Amino acid sequence: MAVHDQAVKTVIDVPTSDVLPIVPLSPPAPDRRKLFGRAFYESIGSPKLVLAPMVEQSEFAWRVLTRSFMTPDSSKDLLAYTPMLHSRLFNETAKFRDHHFQPTRLGLASPPDIDLQTLPSEPDFYLDGNPSLDRPLIVQFCANSPTDLLQAARHVQPFCDAVDLNLGCPQGIARRGNYGAFLQEDWDLIHSLINTLHKELDIPVTAKMRILETRERTLEYAKLILDAGASIITVHGRQRDQKGHKTGLADWSVLRYLRDNLPPDTVLFANGNILRYADIGRCLEETGADGVMSAEGNLYDPTIFAVPPAIGEEGREYWRGRDGKGGYRMDAVFRRYMDIVYKYVLETPLPKRQPLFLPSDVSKPSTASEGEETSSKDEFDGQPPAKRQKCEKQPKTTSPNLISMQAHLFHLLRPLVAKHTNVRDALARCRAGDIHAFERVLMLTEEAAKEGLTDYEAHPEAYDNTPSHLSSEEKQVEDETKDTSSLAMVALCKRPWWVCQPYVRPLPKEALEKGSLTLSKKERRRLEEDETQAKRVGLQPGGKTEIQETVGKDQVEIPKEGLVCG
């Protein structure tokens, strides 16, 4: 792990003053050469940390939030991907382009600028791909037509470092649309899609795939993608049918096999089983990959790529318990997320707030502003939900940065809203673009965190999750070598409910026992084989969600704890 600490040691500092102007920067030099493979990878800083493309979840504000926890001198240690974009819709519909990719205030040119030299001398950079905030950046598309893919890629190439082809989406919509992982039987089409971009674009093309039934077949598949012209290949260590209750563990051994059998200069990213910061170095070592990609791990803890602060330097944002374990506080991350939305998306001044609570703070009487806030809170709570929504009806927004806020916060606050249903209910009532409603949820979150911090100081023993049956030596071994299905790993990942932490997901065996999953004979045999490597693990059921109604009859997903599964 020590070898990788320096590599992953990485916070754009989000100022707390007035709106930061977005400074126009010069476009790439006209004589820029198109780089390929490892030369391209090195040109963007050889990043070892990769924020995955996630549909409607890896938008600009979330990318900036993730980067904000990394030191400025290590800003290029993180490579980020946009959410997956539909190439045909992006190519054919200007409104779709303008809603989902906003590199300038004037929108994207149509027809697209084919040559990077056609950029104005000082383009009015806005959000996506902004050189001062959002690079390096790769834009991901799904496609089944080389023509649509090329035209869509030409729209974005002036504002990103590469274009990625999604070959990994396993969802039903991908099956119906014939893209993502459902192209993996059509190798000729895959070759055509990648090779067309490789030959026609001014920037490199990359691809993200899943493993196949055997490691040998997976190697052939990876070679096809590389031969077609992909500069970087990202491999998710799960097969196409591993989703939902069948998600299971990603197989790092297949990624190691690819590393050992692909050409040495191949740039390979590993995806799967990244639950916490410590997993990054372990994955790099076990797979031999050049970089590690996190998707779900980042959704539940956007600080996953950040090096924990030294003891004594936690400040108000980071919490560390008496056992030495810690993490960033949910209220701190939530506040920083809101500040990014205010500053860059809404371009309005940040609201004045009190410093985050620390138990060491000296008690002081409420200020006038605090009294006004409480009065506003009481008035807000007194109105029936339906009447309040009618009075405060917000104009419909199309910004992906605003539309995604509620989903992001349900992920981030998962353990907290399970305990504090008032926070859950307030968040469930939020509507996209209603920033005041989200500010209200932030206030409730800060109050809940204050309660938790105070309770921990009074009763620290109530928060001890260390398995009692393990000796101190065994705990150390578990920390370093256990996979993500062990009880020791669950204990290592779990933090108090006000601290960011991974989502704990059940393994297929548990879903089968609960009756929520039915397997074929072939799948049962495969599951039995997988169980041999996890036989030493004591599994316990859980990890599902249930739907409950709020006071206002809204339906929300309530999280329950289960087992970590990446």
Side-chain angles (χ1 to χ4, degrees), residues 12-28:
I12 297 173
D13 183 25
V14 178
T16 56
S17 57
D18 291 336
V19 175
L20 180 69
I22 297 179
V23 181
L25 300 179
S26 298

Side-chain angles (χ1 to χ4, degrees), residues 512 519-532:
L512 190 63
L519 300 180
S520 65
K521 290 182 179 179
K522 180 179 178 181
E523 290 171 329
R524 284 180 179 275
R525 284 196 302 270
R526 179 173 150 196
L527 181 60
E528 289 171 0
E529 293 172 0
D530 291 342
E531 287 174 0
T532 58

Side-chain angles (χ1 to χ4, degrees), residues 95-109:
K95 185 177 291 187
F96 183 89
R97 290 195 298 273
D98 292 339
H99 289 174
H100 290 84
F101 194 72
Q102 302 169 325
T104 72
R105 299 175 191 281
L106 299 177
L108 294 171

Side-chain angles (χ1 to χ4, degrees), residues 399-450:
S399 170
N401 298 287
L402 301 178
I403 291 173
S404 300
M405 288 182 67
Q406 186 186 55
H408 275 310
L409 292 171
F410 267 119
H411 284 121
L412 176 69
L413 304 177
R414 188 181 184 90
L416 187 147
V417 300
K419 183 176 180 65
H420 288 266
T421 56
N422 63 324
V423 182
R424 177 202 69 190
D425 293 354
L427 181 55
R429 289 192 293 263
C430 288
R431 297 296 176 260
D434 188 354
I435 198 68
H436 299 295
F438 285 105
E439 191 70 30
R440 160 72 174 152
V441 178
L442 173 58
M443 183 182 70
L444 295 174
T445 301
E446 292 176 352
E447 291 174 356
K450 178 178 179 179

